[in-house]
Amino acid sequence: MEYKSYMCVVCGWIYEEEDGLPDEGIAAGTRWEDIPDTFVCPECGAGKADFEMIEI
């Protein structure tokens, strides 16, 4: 299954499912839908709703 990327529309920070976010306790390979709704962008603090899937 292909991994996807999600970009914060506020600041442009990108979450890569393949890489996860180990510093925040999110393991590599964690799907976006499996991330808690309380997630905030580590760069600007925007909420999960402010992210959009992008094609790279």
Side-chain angles (χ1 to χ4, degrees):
M1 190 166 171
E2 200 173 303
Y3 289 110
K4 297 185 175 95
S5 301
Y6 292 82
M7 183 178 74
C8 175
V9 297
V10 177
C11 74
W13 182 82
I14 296 174
Y15 172 74
E16 304 273 2
E17 289 182 334
E18 187 173 8
D19 299 335
L21 196 58
D23 293 348
E24 304 284 332
I26 299 170
T30 300
R31 300 289 179 191
W32 182 247
E33 58 266 19
D34 295 330
I35 291 178
D37 290 337
T38 54
F39 175 80
V40 295
C41 176
E43 288 292 315
C44 74
K48 189 176 174 184
D50 291 317
F51 281 75
E52 291 182 355
M53 189 178 77
I54 57 170
E55 300 290 334
I56 297 183

